[in-house]
Amino acid sequence: MNMLRCFQPIRLLFIIALAFTWSSCDKNKEDGSDYDPSRPVVLAKFYPESGGYATKVIISGENFGTDTSKIKVYFNEKKASIVGTNGEQLYVVVPKLPGEICKVKVDVDGKSHIFKETFQYASSYTITTVAGKYGGTATTMIDGNLAETEFNDRLAFLVTDTEGNLFGTQHGSGQLIFMLNEDKNMSKKLLVVNGGHGDPQVPTINPTNGKIYVPSAANSWYYEFDPELQWSSRQQQILNPTDADKNFTPIDWKLSLAFNQEDGYVYTRSWLGEFVRFNPKTRVGELVASPKTAGVHPDPLFVDMDSYHVFDPNNQDIIYVAYQPRHCIYSFNIKTLEHKLIAGTSGVAGYNDGPAANAEFNNPRQMTVDSDGNIYVADAGNHCIRKISNGMVSTVVGQGGVSGYVDGSAEEALLNNPWGVAVDKNDDVYVADRGNRVIRKLSFK
């Protein structure tokens, strides 16, 4: 055992030294002439056969060449970093979150070659507290640096932008909209909301100009925040169209906004069950679907209930809807009006992972979708964050039905009534942990 322990660091140093040798050779060899296009590229094996983010993998074979500009390696569709090559071996670094079972593909001079064997990717998650005070007694938000920041017991929903800013809402007697930034170590109240228009709800972002839109619960009011104006706010209202054919019905109650990157409209769903969209430039709204128009499908739209929704970033025809009082997740196609159950058991509260058709949720709230199309759900009643991926539901962090406050590994961490969830550009997930009065960060490796 002692010899093995001694061997491991020596082996690691050897690999690193070999990598530097490959890199040096590669820099000295600019024409890549040792790749012979008349000969086949041969894949032999890769080692190790499993690992997590940033695992160093050696790929053996023939006729790779030494010009790394002509070589690309993928784990599924995620591109790996190439440290170096000596023509018969590639030294690569596993990318972040490529999927649990990975096809390993090597492209040489534009031609693809795929291993029959697969790489087993092992994910690891850790959760940390970003801001807020566990056990605090603040009745409104206290802003400043992140160590000083406090929230009340009505912390609600989140959204991120590409500049590292996190925007959130808070309910109750301290109704407001805030932003914070980890790199800048700051939090700031952007707007204290007029209580007459209801609590601020789930925000959305326009990625083309960085504007944030935040709905108020009541009627057709919403707030617009513009980065070009130092995040100053304007209270706006969704307007009725002059064209009677639009058949627009004034919104009675709403909890989410979702921006569609293809058509440039902002979508919302009213408590009465109608899907409505509006142009953020003109603010004119129009009806997308009502329970009557969608009733031609086997699963008509639900009525008289709270819901939260988010678009699929890889298919902007699809909007996912969490029906909180029915404890389930649906998809809705804004063009075909198809409305179908994708996860959970409609009308049944519970906790169960596994195939999406058999899974159970308990009061699901905000959802977010990462760049690979994985859906993260703030499963408030189960005190955890769930993931819907490839027809399966899993618990990412938290212990179903157990509330508490514990940072650390995903297996040990505890949440308390999380309502908000947002994914950033690195696919890390932020959680508005309402019951604990803190914002947590779930980092993936």
Side-chain angles (χ1 to χ4, degrees):
M1 180 64 70
N2 291 336
M3 291 181 63
L4 180 60
R5 288 177 178 172
C6 292
F7 175 73
Q8 293 295 336
I10 293 174
R11 180 176 173 226
L12 179 61
L13 288 172
F14 171 76
I15 291 176
I16 293 173
L18 182 61
F20 277 116
T21 301
W22 285 342
S23 299
S24 299
C25 291
D26 182 54
K27 290 177 181 177
N28 294 330
K29 181 101 175 159
E30 296 182 354
D31 59 3
S33 58
D34 63 337
Y35 164 68
D36 186 350
S38 66
R39 293 173 48 220
V41 171
V42 177
L43 302 182
K45 62 181 180 179
F46 57 83
Y47 180 82
E49 298 174 350
S50 63
Y53 172 55
T55 295
K56 313 303 187 294
V57 174
I58 295 178
I59 298 174
S60 300
E62 298 177 12
N63 199 29
F64 294 141
T66 57
D67 184 354
T68 55
S69 69
K70 294 183 178 181
I71 305 171
K72 295 180 177 63
V73 177
Y74 298 89
F75 287 70
N76 287 338
E77 298 305 315
K78 288 284 185 80
K79 188 177 179 181
S81 298
I82 300 177
V83 178
T85 174
N86 62 6
E88 295 182 346
Q89 290 180 314
L90 301 173
Y91 182 56
V92 304
V93 180
V94 175
K96 186 177 182 180
L97 298 175
E100 294 181 2
I101 300 176
C102 303
K103 292 182 179 179
V104 180
K105 181 173 68 173
V106 179
D107 286 359
V108 180
D109 199 29
K111 298 178 181 180
S112 297
H113 313 272
I114 302 175
F115 276 96
K116 293 181 180 179
E117 301 79 9
T118 56
F119 180 86
Q120 189 73 33
Y121 184 84
S123 301
S124 62
Y125 315 121
T126 58
I127 192 165
T128 56
T129 297
V130 174
K133 183 179 179 181
Y134 169 65
T137 58
T139 57
T140 187
M141 178 185 177
I142 299 173
D143 55 11
N145 63 49
L146 298 184
E148 297 170 338
T149 300
E150 293 188 38
F151 303 99
N152 72 2
D153 60 351
R154 297 291 187 271
L155 185 61
F157 306 112
L158 304 171
V159 71
T160 62
D161 68 8
T162 58
E163 303 300 318
N165 296 311
L166 180 71
F167 302 86
T169 60
Q170 182 179 273
H171 295 170
S173 59
Q175 293 177 339
L176 54 83
I177 299 162
F178 65 87
M179 70 178 292
L180 63 83
N181 187 294
E182 280 191 273
D183 293 335
K184 297 178 181 179
N185 188 28
M186 58 77 69
S187 68
K188 178 182 179 181
K189 291 189 285 285
L190 294 181
L191 177 68
V192 177
V193 174
N194 180 343
H197 292 140
D199 290 319
Q201 301 294 330
V202 178
T204 191
I205 183 171
N206 181 340
T208 59
N209 57 25
K211 289 184 178 180
I212 305 293
Y213 308 105
V214 185
S216 62
N219 303 318
S220 54
W221 296 102
Y222 69 96
Y223 305 95
E224 178 183 290
F225 296 86
D226 190 344
E228 297 296 325
L229 301 175
Q230 289 72 52
W231 300 112
S232 63
S233 65
R234 288 189 294 179
Q235 186 175 5
Q236 305 280 32
Q237 189 171 22
I238 304 171
L239 303 176
N240 292 337
T242 55
D243 184 353
D245 292 337
K246 297 296 185 182
N247 194 28
F248 177 70
T249 302
I251 297 170
D252 179 57
W253 188 264
K254 61 190 185 302
L255 296 181
S256 286
L257 295 182
F259 185 84
N260 187 294
Q261 297 183 42
E262 288 188 358
D263 62 26
Y265 281 80
V266 178
Y267 287 70
T268 190
R269 178 193 175 276
S270 77
W271 189 80
L272 295 175
E274 297 167 324
F275 274 93
V276 173
R277 70 176 187 175
F278 66 91
N279 185 326
K281 295 180 180 179
T282 65
R283 296 179 284 124
V284 175
E286 61 183 83
L287 183 68
V288 176
S290 71
K292 292 181 180 180
T293 58
V296 297
H297 296 285
D299 241 340
L301 299 177
F302 293 123
V303 299
D304 300 348
M305 68 179 62
D306 291 343
S307 66
Y308 305 88
H309 52 268
V310 63
F311 273 104
D312 184 335
N314 302 313
N315 183 355
Q316 294 284 285
D317 290 348
I318 300 297
I319 192 167
Y320 299 114
V321 188
Y323 290 105
Q324 176 257 323
R326 295 195 69 88
H327 316 290
C328 58
I329 314 299
Y330 269 68
S331 68
F332 177 64
N333 189 307
I334 61 174
K335 292 184 178 178
T336 68
L337 307 186
E338 182 181 12
H339 181 244
K340 64 180 181 179
L341 179 68
I342 62 168
T345 304
S346 181
V348 178
Y351 174 74
N352 188 40
D353 282 340
N358 300 325
E360 292 178 349
F361 296 85
N362 187 356
N363 289 320
R365 301 279 181 175
Q366 188 180 3
M367 297 180 295
T368 190
V369 186
D370 68 14
S371 58
D372 292 326
N374 300 307
I375 307 169
Y376 294 91
V377 183
D379 193 5
N382 281 320
H383 311 291
C384 56
I385 303 300
R386 314 284 289 281
K387 181 171 75 170
I388 306 171
S389 179
N390 297 319
M392 299 292 291
V393 174
S394 60
T395 299
V396 178
V397 64
Q399 300 176 29
V402 180
S403 64
Y405 176 67
V406 177
D407 276 343
S409 69
E411 295 77 17
E412 299 173 344
L414 291 175
L415 308 175
N416 186 359
N417 193 25
W419 275 37
V421 63
V423 65
D424 69 7
K425 62 183 180 181
N426 299 315
D427 283 338
D428 289 330
V429 175
Y430 289 88
V431 179
D433 193 359
R434 187 181 181 96
N436 286 321
R437 299 172 174 241
V438 295
I439 291 176
R440 320 277 289 273
K441 182 179 182 181
L442 184 60
S443 300
F444 300 86
K445 292 185 177 181

